[in-house]
Amino acid sequence: MKTNLLVTASVALLLGVVLSQLGFFDGARLMRGLRNLGILTSDMVPPDIGVLPVTGKALWETVQMSFAGTLLGFLASLPLSVLGTRHLFSPIVSGAARFVAAAIRTIPVLLWAIIFVILVGLGPLAGTLGIAAYTVGYLAKIYADLFEGTDPEILEAVGSTGASKLHLVRFVFLPEGANAILTQVLFMLEYNIRASSILGFVGAGGLGFVMQVYLQTLEYRRLATVLLLILVVVLTMDGLSAWLRKRFLLTAQS
Amino acid sequence: MTQEADQNIALRTDGLWFAYREQDWVLKDVSLSIPLGKVTIIMGPSGTGKTTLLKVLAGILRPLRGRVEVLNQTVEKQAQRSLSTLIGYIPQQLGLVRNLTAMENVLMGALGRCGHGKVLLGVFPRREIEHAKAALDLMGIGHKSDEKVIHLSGGERQRVAIARTLLQRPRVVLADEFVSDLDMALALEILGRIRRAAQQEQITFVLSMHRVGLVRESAEHVLTLSHGKVIPGFPAQGVQGAPGVELPQ
């Protein structure tokens, strides 16, 4: 009881110090921020729907980049995650695969986009490859952990039939993990749609370029149209994910 | 032991010792013989090491001392693929893949004989599919072959697990407490099917169990595991005195 109180008090104190250093107790600055928020909001309404043809085209490019990047990253993450599964491979092999996944994941998606702009030039190809690279690092780690959590009794039972490692992947790891595999790839697709909308800031195609232009020219009503479009796409993705989960995920009641 | 006696023994262990932690022995100098073509039951209260013993017999765990012989072949020296023709293993929770159908689970019994080409695409040889159907029919569950395992009842899942092992065609099947969660009537029905399968397919079954009523009804040969050691027959002090053993109804 005493220890709990001490821990709670310490965490509260630490939080207070950190918030103070970050400027959260600077009342005048926060009030100024609130006033600016009001001005910005009034500058953004009503959204200028006259830019829909231009932004729509850029939005379509963003969706294409996210979809292709997620799918490519997903496909590449599967073999890497299998290699990273300690039940199947030696600590050296699985450790190396997990290190590669961690190294890829360390680099943020925006930096990946810059790297690919340098490698393949400006445009959506660089953005798609950047998204794919980040997706590999993220999904390979999640899937390797998922495969390692497979019920050992299933592996023992199917392993005793003389099944090879490839058989185990195809008939145990993938079907047993199907729910989480689908959930994670859908989450990644949603994440990538949001993330890819800013890749245009570094010349990697999509909505980001349009957003950057509207921000620099202070055309906030046009920017509002872009933000609304992103909201519509994200909500549509949410609905699609929910439908796919309901349609394909394994439940005892279905 | 004479050669004739050897021919009637399916599985033999000689001075098995096993521990998960140093010096904390789960199996202590276990020596046993399992007769060929019969249903042998290893009984004993929960926590006495029945699961560990079966895993050592199946080659899943390696004994720290001693050895296991199946049909005069040393288990520890066999590769998993060749071991699969000798030993089939059904764990307590059956080890079925819930998201696959009963038929797909049964077909996994044939993986030791299959390559990687079409099988990885889910296409099995027609011969194996026919054998899988026959195994499901033998277990009385042929009509549920296209149902996903997650939608099957407990008793139906037990039958699928046995059918998978039958398709594997091992000489010895080791099954760990796998009818323990079923009611008496259903457990006896499944054990009856096992006995028929043992006779029909010339398979030796070794089942671990703690329900004395079931043991009395279904065993042809009984061994008791107590404190890491094996005693032939029922516990010497009588089943009434064995801690954790369920009494017959």
Side-chain angles (χ1 to χ4, degrees):
Chain A
M1 190 69 185
K2 237 177 184 176
T3 319
N4 283 351
L5 209 66
L6 199 68
V7 170
T8 311
S10 307
V11 171
L13 186 68
L14 185 69
L15 183 67
V17 171
V18 169
L19 289 179
S20 158
Q21 286 180 351
L22 292 174
F24 272 78
F25 298 136
D26 186 348
R29 194 172 161 192
L30 287 177
M31 284 310 294
R32 200 164 59 244
L34 272 178
R35 269 198 309 277
N36 287 340
L37 179 66
I39 296 166
L40 183 64
T41 311
S42 68
D43 280 355
M44 288 176 95
V45 288
D48 180 0
I49 55 168
V51 292
L52 267 179
V54 178
T55 50
K57 193 165 169 259
L59 176 77
W60 177 236
E61 196 171 86
T62 293
V63 171
Q64 282 179 309
M65 283 162 54
S66 319
F67 181 73
T70 307
L71 200 62
L72 288 174
F74 167 69
L75 292 175
S77 72
L78 287 176
L80 191 60
S81 59
V82 169
L83 286 172
T85 304
R86 281 171 281 230
H87 295 333
L88 289 179
F89 291 98
S90 67
I92 294 174
V93 175
S94 57
R98 282 174 174 267
F99 177 78
V100 170
I104 295 172
R105 211 167 50 247
T106 306
I107 301 173
V109 66
L110 199 61
L111 195 51
W112 273 119
I114 293 171
I115 292 170
F116 281 109
V117 165
I118 296 165
L119 295 181
V120 299
L122 293 168
L125 177 64
T128 307
L129 290 172
I131 290 167
Y134 185 77
T135 303
V136 172
Y138 177 83
L139 289 183
K141 149 91 175 144
I142 297 279
Y143 291 164
D145 288 349
L146 173 74
F147 294 157
E148 284 188 357
T150 302
D151 183 353
E153 282 208 341
I154 302 177
L155 293 172
E156 286 166 2
V158 180
S160 76
T161 68
S164 67
K165 286 175 184 174
L166 265 180
H167 286 143
L168 289 178
V169 171
R170 165 65 179 83
F171 292 103
V172 179
F173 288 135
L174 292 180
E176 269 295 298
N179 279 12
I181 289 171
L182 181 62
T183 302
Q184 288 299 334
V185 82
L186 288 173
F187 169 80
M188 206 62 217
L189 183 59
E190 287 174 38
Y191 173 86
N192 284 340
I193 284 181
R194 282 190 295 271
S196 61
S197 60
I198 58 160
L199 294 186
F201 277 62
V202 295
L207 270 179
F209 176 71
V210 183
M211 283 169 77
Q212 192 184 24
V213 170
Y214 294 155
L215 271 170
Q216 283 172 349
T217 54
L218 308 181
E219 292 172 290
Y220 295 128
R221 286 177 55 212
R222 292 181 169 183
L223 182 68
T225 308
V226 177
L227 294 178
L228 281 175
L229 276 178
I230 294 173
L231 180 67
V232 168
V233 172
V234 168
L235 289 178
T236 309
M237 274 308 304
D238 272 348
L240 189 67
S241 301
W243 179 79
L244 279 170
R245 284 193 191 98
K246 205 175 162 190
R247 173 77 180 78
F248 292 108
L249 289 199
L250 181 67
T251 57
Q253 290 78 34
S254 65
Chain B
M1 195 168 284
T2 64
Q3 201 171 2
E4 193 185 345
D6 270 2
Q7 284 172 355
N8 291 323
I9 298 296
L11 192 152
R12 188 206 319 275
T13 72
D14 186 17
L16 278 188
W17 290 76
F18 184 85
Y20 291 99
R21 285 182 300 276
E22 207 173 332
Q23 297 302 314
D24 189 6
W25 298 107
V26 182
L27 302 179
K28 294 178 222 166
D29 196 18
V30 172
S31 297
L32 54 81
S33 295
I34 306 279
L36 190 71
K38 293 196 170 173
V39 178
T40 292
I41 292 185
I42 298 175
M43 67 169 302
S46 299
T48 47
K50 296 193 294 297
T51 297
T52 303
L53 176 59
L54 286 193
K55 284 188 178 179
V56 171
L57 298 182
I60 293 167
L61 297 175
R62 279 184 176 270
L64 299 182
R65 289 182 219 159
R67 62 182 182 151
V68 180
E69 274 184 17
V70 175
L71 299 164
N72 298 321
Q73 298 186 54
T74 306
V75 165
E76 295 90 75
K77 288 183 182 165
Q78 305 288 320
Q80 188 67 56
R81 215 168 168 97
S82 63
L83 196 59
S84 69
T85 60
L86 290 175
I87 301 173
Y89 174 67
I90 307 177
Q92 189 166 3
Q93 301 301 322
L94 307 173
L96 297 171
V97 180
R98 299 166 307 154
N99 207 9
L100 295 181
T101 65
M103 173 59 93
E104 287 168 325
N105 269 280
V106 174
L107 281 168
M108 279 190 233
L111 287 176
R113 298 188 289 275
C114 295
H116 292 103
K118 288 183 177 175
V119 167
L120 287 180
L121 299 172
V123 182
F124 281 81
R126 187 177 295 172
R127 191 181 63 252
E128 300 293 1
I129 294 172
E130 280 164 12
H131 287 153
K133 276 183 189 161
L136 282 166
D137 286 339
L138 184 68
M139 286 296 121
I141 198 182
H143 60 292
K144 296 266 178 123
S145 66
D146 292 331
E147 295 250 358
K148 281 192 177 180
V149 162
I150 197 168
H151 298 143
L152 298 180
S153 68
E156 289 167 341
R157 290 181 193 188
Q158 318 277 354
R159 294 160 203 241
V160 173
I162 303 168
R164 177 182 63 195
T165 311
L166 291 180
L167 190 70
Q168 186 182 333
R169 288 189 231 132
R171 305 293 304 279
V172 177
V173 172
L174 305 164
D176 185 15
E177 293 276 7
F178 83 130
V179 286
S180 298
D181 297 335
L182 302 182
D183 63 57
M184 190 73 168
L186 190 54
L188 284 175
E189 193 214 317
I190 288 180
L191 288 168
R193 285 183 185 276
I194 282 182
R195 196 178 269 185
R196 278 197 292 283
Q199 286 162 357
Q200 207 168 313
E201 311 281 333
Q202 296 290 303
I203 296 172
T204 302
F205 277 87
V206 182
L207 317 173
S208 73
M209 216 174 272
H210 68 275
R211 287 165 69 178
V212 176
L214 274 177
V215 178
R216 286 206 189 286
E217 293 286 339
S218 55
E220 293 172 291
H221 178 231
V222 179
L223 298 169
T224 298
L225 188 63
S226 177
H227 305 294
K229 285 179 171 282
V230 162
I231 313 153
F234 281 89
Q237 73 274 34
V239 291
Q240 313 286 338
V245 173
E246 270 183 36
L247 300 178
Q249 300 296 308

